[in-house]
Amino acid sequence: MGALLRRFWGLCLLRAGPQDLPPSQVLAALATAAYLASGVALLAVEGRGTAAAVAPALADLAVMVVLLRLALAVRGVPARFRQTYTALTGSGALLGFLALPVAAVLAQAAAAGRPAPAALLAWLGLVAWSLAVIAHILRHALSVPPAVGLAGAVLYLAASMAVVGAMTAGGG
């Protein structure tokens, strides 16, 4: 387990690529469970409650799957799906769990009606870090230049935020 966590951490540090993960269905399932758990926790910490956070977390995952399958098909490398998907969900879970304390501080500040500039700055840093990790993974999976990987990362995050935002609007 420690070796797998180090591989996912290596992805987060941009030192490993999706090709460094085994093409294991079990690992993909574990990474998916961790990704969903971190997504539900992040949405729940905003005051939505765990049950209300499940559907948006699943929608985010569906957006990832659809866009990833489409991008890999367009590039003619659909066989890279499992490792790329595992890389995205595993690294996303790690970054999601790292973001939990920051999200909690931001939620408490919003509920109290006071600013939390340090937490907001940390949140923006985590978003930038997530973009860099997703771009890095896509660059390797699609064999494209870094700028194209970054464009793919921005597209995914924008699509995910639009879908999740539409599902959670007015709910918290």
Side-chain angles (χ1 to χ4, degrees), residues 8 11 17-18 21 31 82-92 133 137:
F8 285 119
L11 285 165
L21 295 174
R82 185 172 294 155
Q83 286 173 293
T84 307
Y85 171 80
T86 303
L88 289 171
T89 52
S91 62
V133 171
I137 291 168

Side-chain angles (χ1 to χ4, degrees), residues 18-171:
Q19 68 277 6
D20 296 320
L21 295 174
S24 163
Q25 189 169 356
V26 172
L27 183 58
L30 290 173
T32 300
Y35 184 76
L36 286 174
S38 72
V40 168
L42 278 171
L43 290 167
V45 84
E46 293 176 355
R48 288 175 173 43
T50 303
V54 171
L58 286 170
D60 167 59
L61 188 64
V63 168
M64 177 194 297
V65 168
V66 168
L67 291 179
L68 180 58
R69 285 213 180 269
L70 180 64
L72 292 170
V74 166
R75 289 292 294 166
V77 289
R80 295 180 183 177
F81 176 79
R82 185 172 294 155
Q83 286 173 293
T84 307
Y85 171 80
T86 303
L88 289 171
T89 52
S91 62
L94 278 179
L95 292 174
F97 287 123
L98 282 176
L100 274 175
V102 178
V105 169
L106 286 172
Q108 289 173 349
R114 60 178 163 75
L120 184 58
L121 192 58
W123 185 259
L124 292 175
L126 285 165
V127 170
W129 189 6
S130 292
L131 267 174
V133 171
I134 295 167
H136 172 76
I137 291 168
L138 292 178
R139 176 180 74 89
H140 282 276
L142 301 171
S143 300
V144 294
V148 176
L150 181 59
V154 169
L155 174 68
Y156 159 65
L157 283 183
S160 176
M161 289 172 63
V163 169
V164 171
M167 293 180 76
T168 59

